[in-house]
Amino acid sequence: MPPGLTTLAADAPALSAADTGFMLICSALVMLMTPALAFFYGGMVRVKSTLNMLMMSFISLGIVTILWVLYGFGLAFGKDVGSVIGWTSDYAGLSGIGLDQLWDGHTIPVYVFAVFQLMFAVITPALISGALADRVKFTSWALFVVLWVTVVYFPVAHWVWGAGGWLYERGVIDFAGGTAVHIDAGAAALGVILVIGRRVGFRKDPMRPHSLPLVMLGAGLLWFGWFGFNAGSWLGNDDGVSAVMFVNTQVATAAAMLAWLGYEKLRHGSFTTLGAASGAVAGLVAITPSGGAVSPLGAIAVGAVAGVLCAMAVGLKYRFGYDDSLDVVGVHLVGGVVGSLLVGLFATGGVQSRAKGLFYGGGLDQLGKQAVGVFAVLAYSLLVSALLALLLDRTIGMRVDEDTEVSGIDRAEHAETAYDFGGTGGGTAPRVAATAAGSGSTAVRHTRKVHA
């Protein structure tokens, strides 16, 4: 993602109605991704946690939007301070920005750039929530989001994309968020779950997805919105780079889905809908940092590698005993690492920059830069997120009590249930519905194999 660039007045671009319209559409597509994520995660939990899972994503739309306007945009994209954070007083409250003021070096208004980046800031903490399903107090989660975006996301966004940010200045390539979004969120998820512990019944009770159609709907909407997430990150559409990124997004996602399904067929004997959805998301994650640097053939390789490695990684929680409820670590952290590092192998030097990977004669230089970015963001987010979770756990408490977790977090935290099986009346309908929800179909039972 190109940060603001300083240009001479004589060379300053003029506002482009086409680029502005394109970016507004892309911003709306990225906004759609947060409700899509809510459906994706909501379908994967048990019935008793559905609403809580939806709300953990939706609340981010409210909290992060306000913080972004007040100070987040200034911290992430303001004038550089020491290569670690930004600040521009005119960005506080978005009150000092002119209607026709352009983002430096580009043809879109600052307001458009700000709202596009806002949608990235919104979805990133929402990604974390999937690892914490079934067991976190909603108030504690909301406070965690406030703290986390302030001390983790805003600074990391500046490191990676802000003019003067230390990772940007080192030449780390992250087109649309492999480090700043996916590694950031995946490492945070791991840090928090190491503090709050496992769900009641982890490794013992069946914890099958209650609605695979919801999972597929969410995955499809994420795939759709991701075109705005990725193609829009070039901030314009006049040199073909956005078009390449659009194509690579589709190609890598398809390759990852097929690779995941092939792996689970060989490993577990079935092609599952959960595997198809998870594989698609793994491909989307992996191509996010790399899609502006690789060719379509490179995108196939990125997607295929990510599909297999992420499918393998989701089972690590059973081996190592950490309870990553919906595989945020396995898909987003691992997928982000894979996609970011593969830039160092498959970058052609002919799309977003002249940087070349190992397979295109660039040696190990770019791979080394990518590794610095990957492990710096991973370590910072993991450590700080764990400390924030520990702070909240020791003060107001992060987890609901055991009785609430067992009986259902939806009723305790939201005074609602996702499905009213008895609301329409009628003889045996409630019993039939409850049985269907509790026992699961053959397709649902098969999805257990994906995570075995």
Side-chain angles (χ1 to χ4, degrees):
M1 179 175 298
L5 301 174
T6 302
T7 60
L8 298 175
D11 299 326
L15 187 147
S16 166
D19 285 346
T20 298
F22 171 72
M23 290 305 302
L24 288 172
I25 292 171
C26 287
S27 300
L29 287 171
V30 182
M31 181 271 163
L32 178 67
M33 291 173 67
T34 299
L37 182 72
F39 284 125
F40 182 68
Y41 283 168
M44 281 198 282
V45 295
R46 291 168 287 179
V47 170
K48 63 183 180 180
S49 303
T50 305
L51 295 181
N52 182 252
M53 202 73 260
L54 295 174
M55 281 293 289
M56 289 177 81
S57 287
F58 265 80
I59 196 63
S60 186
L61 282 163
I63 292 172
V64 180
T65 296
I66 301 304
L67 298 183
W68 188 255
V69 170
L70 293 177
Y71 59 82
F73 182 54
L75 292 177
F77 291 100
K79 184 178 179 181
D80 180 67
V81 180
S83 297
V84 295
I85 200 65
W87 185 250
T88 297
S89 60
D90 285 347
Y91 294 166
L94 303 183
S95 57
I97 301 171
L99 290 177
D100 57 352
Q101 182 180 341
L102 301 183
W103 185 242
D104 288 346
H106 296 279
T107 58
I108 61 173
V110 174
Y111 274 117
V112 174
F113 178 75
V115 77
F116 180 68
Q117 283 296 330
L118 162 62
M119 303 311 173
F120 281 66
V122 165
I123 196 173
T124 305
L127 293 172
I128 302 169
S129 66
L132 318 179
D134 297 332
R135 59 200 190 276
V136 174
K137 295 178 181 178
F138 189 69
T139 300
S140 300
W141 168 249
L143 290 174
F144 178 83
V145 170
V146 172
L147 296 172
W148 189 83
V149 295
T150 301
V151 300
V152 179
Y153 181 79
F154 297 157
V156 169
H158 184 76
W159 297 357
V160 176
W161 294 322
W166 73 277
L167 291 179
Y168 176 79
E169 294 299 325
R170 288 184 66 93
V172 175
I173 293 175
D174 185 352
F175 195 94
T179 54
V181 175
H182 297 290
I183 294 175
D184 208 3
L190 181 58
V192 176
I193 59 181
L194 290 177
V195 171
I196 67 172
R198 310 168 186 173
R199 287 168 291 178
V200 175
F202 177 67
R203 283 177 165 175
K204 298 177 182 178
D205 299 338
M207 297 181 180
R208 296 184 293 266
H210 89 278
S211 176
L212 287 169
L214 273 186
V215 174
M216 295 296 282
L217 173 64
L221 290 174
L222 281 170
W223 194 333
F224 176 69
W226 223 294
F227 290 115
F229 195 88
N230 282 356
S233 290
W234 196 241
L235 307 184
N237 197 28
D238 60 357
D239 58 6
V241 176
S242 290
V244 172
M245 187 56 167
F246 193 106
V247 170
N248 284 345
T249 299
Q250 176 69 16
V251 169
T253 308
M257 179 179 67
L258 295 175
W260 187 302
L261 287 172
Y263 172 83
E264 72 173 5
K265 176 63 175 178
L266 292 173
R267 180 71 176 82
H268 305 294
S270 301
F271 299 114
T272 68
T273 51
L274 183 59
S278 299
V281 173
L284 290 164
V285 170
I287 202 62
T288 291
S290 58
V294 304
S295 69
L297 288 176
I300 292 176
V302 169
V305 171
V308 172
L309 291 183
C310 290
M312 296 171 65
V314 297
L316 294 178
K317 63 185 179 183
Y318 297 109
R319 178 176 300 177
F320 295 108
Y322 61 89
D323 186 7
D324 175 17
S325 306
L326 307 183
D327 301 318
V328 178
V329 176
V331 173
H332 293 276
L333 178 56
V334 173
V337 169
V338 168
S340 297
L341 293 179
L342 289 182
V343 172
L345 301 181
F346 294 109
T348 66
V351 190
Q352 74 175 95
S353 72
R354 295 181 180 179
K356 293 183 178 181
L358 178 64
F359 297 160
Y360 287 82
L364 296 173
D365 181 61
Q366 191 60 44
L367 181 60
K369 293 176 181 178
Q370 296 302 116
V372 170
V374 163
F375 293 109
V377 173
L378 193 162
Y380 179 75
S381 183
L382 176 66
L383 177 60
V384 177
S385 301
L387 290 174
L388 292 176
L390 185 62
L391 172 66
L392 291 172
D393 195 48
R394 295 291 178 85
T395 52
I396 63 173
M398 280 287 285
R399 292 189 63 147
V400 298
D401 60 72
E402 184 173 336
D403 289 342
T404 296
E405 185 178 334
V406 171
S407 62
I409 196 170
D410 283 358
R411 286 189 180 276
E413 293 291 302
H414 308 290
E416 298 170 307
T417 57
Y419 306 101
D420 183 4
F421 295 123
T424 57
T428 61
R431 185 175 67 252
V432 172
T435 301
S439 63
S441 65
T442 301
V444 172
R445 287 196 296 272
H446 284 171
T447 63
R448 182 67 176 170
K449 297 179 180 180
V450 178
H451 304 296

